[in-house]
Amino acid sequence: MRFSIQTASLRQLVLLSFFLALIPVAVLLWQSHKALSGVSQNAVAEAETSVASVRRAENMQNLVVDIERAVRQHAVVKTDALARVARTHLNSYQQLLRQVCDNIGQSQLCQQQQLQLGILLDNFTELSSTELEPLMQQFRQQQQQLTQQIWLLLEQNLQQQQRFVVESQQQLAWQTVALVLLTLLLVLWASGRITAPVRKLDKMIRAIGQQHQFPDEKLTGPRELTELGEQLRWLSSRLQQLEALRLILLRHASHELKTPLSSIREGCALLSEQLVGPLNKQQLEVVGLLNGSADRLSQLTEQLLDYNRLLQQAKPEPDWHSPQQLFTDCFNDHALSLQQRGQAIELSCQLSAIYTDITLFRRILDNLINNAQAYGSQDSPVWVKLYQQEHQLILDVANNGNPIPTSLREKLFEPFQRGTTPRFDSVQGSGLGLSIVADCARLLGGHADIVDVIYADVCIRVRLPLLEEKLG
């Protein structure tokens, strides 16, 4: 059976990643155990060898004393018993000397000591005390030199053991570094196998939310994530169909309403002017109500058409414009409605030129002025400020009136959402004004929100980027 990571489930991939990450750790533990065992065994062997060498050196020193005593006693009192004792000590010393020489090597000192020992074994019974004295003195000196050589060998073995421990530590350290790097690479590989499809899913979700082109690349990775990617692809296709139907509905509905609406308004005008016959007072009131309703319906239709045109605008076309001229044209268009409610514009413009899309910026300004005129207090000013703050272009439109609760501020920028505060004019709002402001700001690379200021009850702030490349 062929195993494939591409079609594995997320659970299998996580378990496999965990198992792969554990392999270097297991190897590191095994190498550590092996290194510690080697150091321990070497230390035990060297300790046993050192103890045995020290014991042999002590025994040989004691035997030298015993040999010297027995030989001197035999030289004075020549008896067979003393000769056997001296020979026994010499034979024991010879065995120990052979073992020591095997450990330290057949050096010249060992050869001299063995030669001296052979002379004593063969001739100590025939030599007098005077003749034995130089032989025993030389024998003791050679034994002292042999003992020093044994201690020197032990010191060398200790240094060698220390070097072995240091080399083992360095080797283990390098192995640890290598295995840790390998573990890190395996963890990065495993995390990449999981995060790569997650990033693609995030890109898909953002494309759906921002209405961008949905990625054509097919998602690869764990089975659960690939299935989720296909569901998002289906959702994107479905949302595009619904969006197309919504645009068609808005376009046709708003367009088809204009023809009968024009007929209704013309009929109301004929009745109001009494061209088809005189009307009494009550009939004129009814015609007035019909005419007002027709005007409100006409405004709602124009708003729907404007919103539909905004949704169809794919890309802004920025250029340099004079903000003073923009404000003058906008205020002139809204002068009559502002004058009826006694509202004056207080303008503060700190910029001589702005780089923006004139159509989108004018839509933002028109809807904000209309919103301030509709919800602002009677005989209260409307503050309009345009200024630069760090790397942003800031447009503030503020008015006095009922403050907007914090819980409703984000919701008011959604389509067809209206607040609880009633309008002060005669028009029934559609809930598209602030939504158009937010969409226009988004197309310009910025955003709109409601902020608190000290000079007004309500302030809508639009933040737009200054850099030209961000506006394209």
Side-chain angles (χ1 to χ4, degrees):
M1 180 178 179
R2 185 174 179 268
F3 180 77
S4 176
I5 298 179
Q6 292 292 113
T7 58
S9 66
L10 184 60
R11 179 181 179 184
Q12 291 174 342
L13 182 57
V14 171
L15 292 177
L16 176 61
S17 304
F18 183 73
F19 175 75
L20 291 177
L22 283 180
I23 292 178
V25 177
V27 173
L28 178 60
L29 292 176
W30 179 75
Q31 290 288 351
S32 301
H33 175 73
K34 182 179 178 182
L36 291 175
S37 298
V39 171
S40 177
Q41 292 175 1
N42 194 7
V44 171
E46 289 295 332
E48 292 177 351
T49 303
S50 300
V51 170
S53 299
V54 171
R55 287 179 178 176
R56 280 194 293 267
E58 292 179 352
N59 293 333
M60 291 176 71
Q61 289 178 354
N62 294 331
L63 283 175
V64 168
V65 175
D66 294 339
I67 290 171
E68 186 175 3
R69 182 184 303 113
V71 169
R72 290 181 182 278
Q73 289 176 354
H74 182 270
V76 176
V77 182
K78 294 183 179 293
T79 62
D80 294 338
L82 289 175
R84 285 195 299 271
V85 171
R87 197 174 298 280
T88 301
H89 292 329
L90 288 172
N91 290 330
S92 299
Y93 184 86
Q94 189 177 25
Q95 293 178 359
L96 292 175
L97 179 62
R98 190 180 299 112
Q99 295 176 1
V100 169
C101 292
D102 290 340
N103 289 332
I104 67 175
Q106 297 294 331
S107 62
Q108 184 178 359
L109 182 60
C110 285
Q111 295 176 358
Q112 292 177 356
Q113 187 75 339
Q114 289 174 353
L115 179 61
Q116 190 73 16
L117 183 61
I119 294 174
L120 286 174
L121 278 172
D122 295 337
N123 302 318
F124 78 92
T125 57
E126 301 175 357
L127 298 177
S128 62
S129 299
T130 304
E131 294 173 341
L132 285 173
E133 184 62 28
L135 289 176
M136 294 306 302
Q137 185 176 359
Q138 186 179 4
F139 189 72
R140 284 196 305 272
Q141 291 176 355
Q142 291 177 353
Q143 173 57 36
Q144 292 175 358
Q145 294 176 2
L146 189 61
T147 302
Q148 292 176 359
Q149 192 169 357
I150 291 174
W151 283 107
L152 180 62
L153 179 62
L154 292 178
E155 186 176 353
Q156 293 176 354
N157 290 339
L158 180 60
Q159 293 177 355
Q160 184 179 1
Q161 178 68 18
Q162 291 176 346
R163 287 194 298 269
F164 176 75
V165 172
V166 171
E167 291 175 358
S168 299
Q169 290 177 346
Q170 293 178 349
Q171 183 180 4
L172 187 61
W174 283 112
Q175 290 176 351
T176 302
V177 172
L179 292 174
V180 167
L181 291 177
L182 179 59
T183 303
L184 180 61
L185 291 176
L186 290 174
V187 170
L188 292 177
W189 173 82
S191 61
R193 298 289 302 175
I194 297 176
T195 57
V198 173
R199 288 195 296 267
K200 291 182 180 179
L201 288 174
D202 178 73
K203 185 178 180 181
M204 292 178 179
I205 294 173
R206 291 180 182 273
I208 294 175
Q210 299 176 0
Q211 299 180 358
H212 292 168
Q213 179 66 31
F214 194 83
D216 295 330
E217 183 182 0
K218 188 176 180 181
L219 184 67
T220 58
R223 184 171 57 251
E224 294 88 348
L225 298 183
T226 55
E227 293 176 355
L228 181 58
E230 293 302 319
Q231 293 176 359
L232 287 176
R233 189 179 300 277
W234 171 84
L235 177 61
S236 175
S237 176
R238 183 60 177 167
L239 289 177
Q240 289 178 358
Q241 294 176 1
L242 295 176
E243 180 68 14
L245 292 174
R246 185 174 70 90
L247 294 177
I248 292 174
L249 177 61
L250 283 174
R251 183 170 63 251
H252 286 280
S254 57
H255 179 74
E256 295 297 330
L257 283 175
K258 293 185 68 176
T259 302
L261 183 59
S262 299
S263 300
I264 293 174
R265 295 185 66 182
E266 290 177 1
C268 290
L270 292 174
L271 292 176
S272 301
E273 296 173 2
Q274 301 185 21
L275 297 178
V276 294
L279 299 177
N280 57 33
K281 184 177 180 180
Q282 294 179 344
Q283 291 173 336
L284 288 174
E285 290 179 356
V286 173
V287 171
L289 293 174
L290 291 175
N291 197 22
S293 299
D295 289 338
R296 288 194 296 271
L297 183 59
S298 177
Q299 288 184 349
L300 292 175
T301 304
E302 290 297 329
Q303 288 181 348
L304 286 174
L305 286 173
D306 187 63
Y307 186 63
N308 188 46
R309 286 192 296 268
L310 173 65
L311 293 177
Q312 292 177 347
Q313 182 169 355
K315 186 177 181 180
E317 298 177 356
D319 201 355
W320 289 102
H321 300 280
S322 170
Q324 291 289 349
Q325 187 64 41
L326 283 172
F327 288 134
T328 300
D329 295 340
C330 178
F331 298 157
N332 288 337
D333 292 342
H334 294 273
L336 183 59
S337 60
L338 292 170
Q339 185 178 2
Q340 289 177 351
R341 304 204 63 245
Q343 295 173 317
I345 298 291
E346 293 191 8
L347 175 63
S348 174
C349 180
Q350 302 178 3
L351 303 175
S352 60
I354 57 174
Y355 188 82
T356 187
D357 186 294
I358 184 66
T359 303
L360 294 176
F361 192 86
R362 179 61 189 270
R363 284 178 182 171
I364 292 175
L365 194 57
D366 284 334
N367 281 279
L368 291 180
I369 295 298
N370 181 67
N371 191 78
Q373 178 268 327
Y375 292 98
S377 301
Q378 183 80 20
D379 300 325
S380 178
V382 175
W383 292 272
V384 179
K385 296 184 178 183
L386 182 66
Y387 56 95
Q388 179 179 342
Q389 188 178 68
E390 295 179 352
H391 298 289
Q392 288 184 327
L393 180 69
I394 307 298
L395 173 64
D396 287 350
V397 177
N399 60 270
N400 286 326
N402 295 326
I404 300 175
T406 306
S407 59
L408 295 178
R409 292 183 178 182
E410 292 186 3
K411 187 177 180 181
L412 291 180
F413 290 99
E414 299 177 1
F416 308 105
Q417 295 293 332
R418 294 195 299 267
T420 57
T421 303
R423 295 172 65 101
F424 292 108
D425 56 3
S426 59
V427 179
Q428 180 68 28
S430 62
L432 288 175
L434 292 183
S435 175
I436 292 175
V437 170
D439 288 337
C440 289
R442 177 180 56 80
L443 289 174
L444 290 173
H447 67 279
D449 52 2
I450 300 174
V451 298
D452 294 323
V453 293
I454 59 175
Y455 59 87
D457 297 327
V458 178
C459 179
I460 299 176
R461 177 168 295 171
V462 179
R463 309 173 193 266
L464 302 175
L466 279 179
L467 299 181
E468 297 181 13
E469 55 266 23
K470 289 187 177 181
L471 293 172

